[in-house]
Amino acid sequence: MAAVHEAEALSQGAPAHDWDAIVIGAGMSGLYMLYRLRELGLRVRVFEAGTGVGGTWYWNRYPGARFDSESYSYGYSFSPELLQEWSWSEHFAAQPETLRYLNYVADKFDLRRDIQFRSRVTSAHYQEMRRSWEVTLQDGARYRAPFLITAIGLLSAPTLPRIAGIESFRGQSFHTAQWPHDPVHFAHKRVAVLGSGATGVQTIQEVAKTAGHLTVLQRRPNWCAPLHNSKIDEAAQARIKAGYPEMFARCRATFACFLHTPDPRGTFEVTPDEREAFFEKLYAERGFGIWQGNFRDILTDRAANAAISAFVARKIRERVRDPRVAEKLIPKDHGFGTRRVPLETHYYEVYNQPNVELVDIKHSPIERITPDGIKTRDAALAFDIMIYATGFDAITGSFDRIDIRGRDGQKLRAKWANGPQTFLGVQVEGFPNMFMLMGPHTALGNIPRSIEYNVEWVTNLIAYMRQRRLTRADALPRAVAAWTDHVKDMGEGLLSNEVDSWMTGINSNIAGKQSRIIARYSGSAPAYRKRCDEVAADGYRELALG
Ligand SMILES: Cc1cc2nc3c(=O)[nH]c(=O)nc-3n(C[C@H](O)[C@H](O)[C@H](O)COP(=O)(O)OP(=O)(O)OC[C@H]3O[C@@H](n4cnc5c(N)ncnc54)[C@H](O)[C@@H]3O)c2cc1C
């Protein structure tokens, strides 16, 4: 049917393409993709659901939102001029500053003129005869281009909890990723926060400063570690700006593109005193060092993981006055670092405040949301404001929300029903000329570093095709099978793959996301890049080009 429609349109002389490339999403990935494709001379259109650029940093305006990556290691590295012009004010910038930064980038490189805001893509269908992607927006408008690049984010499809009565609440309620653009005031208000992942932790520690009463409804605690944020003074600013080449070289060399990388020693290769001193040093350091720069075996060896978990549990007990509350805050179902580690600033001390209460909803389950608040098994709790820090349908969620169809009308959702299958996390067999940025099976870590690499890899492939007048790139089935197996192999032995989390594709708030999948590439970023470089150097022979 689709082919008949297509053939008719072609015979009526409808223009084959509106643009040379369509990019979906104007976050860090989409902005950089636009910049690079323009350099190649392509006519590009970016469709963005929001009203401005920035992606994650446009949507997540919740109180306390900020980086866990060091600001300077997060920004784009491609423009030396930009690096010198922009000054980060804090080691871990807050969301408003990052949003300002991305707006600055959009203006500096005059990107906005090719971005169409308020434009949610609802479907993308490949048309074999035209060798073209047809994209439909929510308002019904349709556009075509030979290349489709998805820059739709790995944490961009917000999910609410599946709780009966959620619509009935009469007070104000917010999802952290759909936060209003005007400030929300908490003084004298009874506030509930549901969720205690990285976002929940940032929200709780901020809201607790002003809320009349704050109730944290916790299903499972996470292992958190101190952020140790501070302002960047002039001398440090000068050092950062002078040291960018070395810093980015370091990010390129580390396992996950962070400034931190695992210590080559095993946990039990040192004396107990040395181990303790090393843990103390990491706990006192800025950022993800305690997670990414710890002994090399803490994420693979159970005994090593138990040692760091016991250390962090002790810290929590020292910081929380009421021992019963402390016990509730200590995870018992997974070890330190096997889920995303939230970084915190006085998070545990919040529970020493008289205006803050912790409700363990594993112990006292939520029965329903009522017009006045929340009914748990044991109590009826009244609130003025409800904050859902319940996260995202991660990695594949933003793909699932678009009706993506490849050759012969096959649906991406169906193709990935049992988990994603990709080549390098960039292509899917049967979906020619669709390139994914930060899709499943790519290296994540300090994400902009991976974004820049992926964008450049895709740019080089498109340049290669245009030089040779090739109009179609598809992944070969054997290449997909080999890469998907490789991604699985890389996850073997990692304790994190034995734990339910967004990184293993679990989301209890979404039907059908209760079985673990391998959603991300968990090998090292340098190994990932080496493999992708080899594919390019070999003339993309693992792709079907035509
Ligand atoms: C609260 C929070 C804190 C984070 N902190 C860090 C950190 O410290 N370090 C780190 O490395 N990473 C962090 N991340 C991860 C972050 O998502 C990435 O660093 C990065 O911003 C991803 O950029 P992106 O452009 O790939 O995706 P996004 O920033 O998610 O942008 C995707 C864009 O696509 C748009 N879009 C999606 N679907 C459609 C559609 N159908 N039609 C039109 N537009 C669409 C969205 O509106 C969005 O603007 C954080 C994420 C969150 C949520």
Side-chain angles (χ1 to χ4, degrees), residues 326-470:
E327 285 319 302
K328 285 186 199 167
L329 290 165
I330 296 173
K332 306 290 188 311
D333 62 351
H334 68 284
F336 178 84
T338 60
R339 306 180 87 219
R340 159 76 150 85
V341 175
L343 293 182
E344 47 85 23
T345 306
H346 306 309
Y347 173 65
Y348 290 110
E349 287 73 11
V350 156
Y351 295 96
N352 300 332
Q353 292 180 205
N355 65 333
V356 179
E357 184 187 350
L358 180 66
V359 174
D360 176 355
I361 56 172
K362 264 256 156 55
H363 188 250
S364 178
I366 296 181
E367 287 179 350
R368 59 182 298 109
I369 293 181
T370 65
D372 297 324
I374 293 179
K375 170 81 183 74
T376 68
R377 196 186 56 196
D378 305 307
L381 309 168
F383 299 112
D384 304 303
I385 300 178
M386 208 97 85
I387 300 177
Y388 297 107
T390 43
F392 303 92
D393 184 359
I395 302 185
T396 51
S398 48
F399 289 90
D400 289 345
R401 292 181 186 195
I402 305 175
D403 172 21
I404 301 178
R405 297 188 198 185
R407 227 176 32 223
D408 306 323
Q410 62 178 321
K411 294 186 178 180
L412 185 65
R413 239 176 269 158
K415 186 145 187 128
W416 284 358
N418 298 319
Q421 297 161 47
T422 78
F423 181 53
L424 307 177
V426 176
Q427 279 219 271
V428 184
E429 189 263 326
F431 295 74
N433 292 9
M434 181 180 94
F435 304 118
M436 302 180 290
L437 301 176
M438 295 298 99
H441 293 179
T442 37
L444 301 176
N446 189 16
I447 288 174
R449 305 284 62 80
S450 301
I451 288 175
E452 284 189 334
Y453 180 80
N454 270 38
V455 165
E456 286 159 18
W457 195 89
V458 169
T459 308
N460 290 339
L461 170 57
I462 291 177
Y464 180 94
M465 290 173 71
R466 283 169 65 91
Q467 280 155 12
R468 290 164 181 75
R469 299 192 184 287
L470 300 168

Side-chain angles (χ1 to χ4, degrees), residues 102-131:
L102 290 170
N103 274 283
Y104 182 84
V105 171
D107 290 333
K108 178 175 171 66
F109 299 106
D110 186 22
L111 299 178
R112 272 176 229 281
R113 66 183 153 89
D114 291 327
I115 306 175
Q116 190 169 313
F117 296 106
R118 294 184 176 84
S119 299
R120 182 169 290 284
V121 172
T122 53
S123 73
H125 295 175
Y126 185 66
Q127 299 180 327
E128 185 72 41
M129 283 174 157
R130 293 179 198 270
R131 295 201 166 191

Side-chain angles (χ1 to χ4, degrees), residues 24-29 47-49 54-57 59-60 62 67-69 74 119-121 151-153 155-156 199 392 402 438 445-448 451:
I24 316 177
M28 284 210 79
S29 297
F47 293 115
E48 166 56 53
T56 287
W57 307 103
W59 293 104
N60 290 268
Y62 61 85
F67 283 145
D68 284 338
S69 299
Y74 186 97
S119 299
R120 182 169 290 284
V121 172
I152 52 185
L155 296 169
S156 61
T199 288
F392 303 92
I402 305 175
M438 295 298 99
N446 189 16
I447 288 174
I451 288 175

Side-chain angles (χ1 to χ4, degrees), residues 95-206:
Q95 172 272 335
E97 184 168 342
T98 309
L99 185 58
R100 273 200 305 281
Y101 168 74
L102 290 170
N103 274 283
Y104 182 84
V105 171
D107 290 333
K108 178 175 171 66
F109 299 106
D110 186 22
L111 299 178
R112 272 176 229 281
R113 66 183 153 89
D114 291 327
I115 306 175
Q116 190 169 313
F117 296 106
R118 294 184 176 84
S119 299
R120 182 169 290 284
V121 172
T122 53
S123 73
H125 295 175
Y126 185 66
Q127 299 180 327
E128 185 72 41
M129 283 174 157
R130 293 179 198 270
R131 295 201 166 191
S132 183
W133 279 92
E134 184 176 76
V135 156
T136 308
L137 306 185
Q138 207 161 26
D139 66 6
R142 289 194 222 171
Y143 301 96
R144 279 190 296 265
F147 293 108
L148 174 69
I149 294 112
T150 62
I152 52 185
L154 66 155
L155 296 169
S156 61
T159 52
L160 285 168
R162 289 197 287 178
I163 306 175
I166 193 161
E167 299 301 331
S168 70
F169 181 62
R170 279 193 304 239
Q172 290 178 289
S173 52
F174 308 101
H175 188 287
T176 46
Q178 290 165 331
W179 201 263
H181 292 201
D182 297 323
V184 178
H185 300 288
F186 305 104
H188 312 298
K189 299 278 170 57
R190 298 161 302 176
V191 185
V193 176
L194 287 91
S196 50
T199 288
V201 165
Q202 289 185 336
T203 307
I204 291 161
Q205 66 199 15
E206 191 62 30

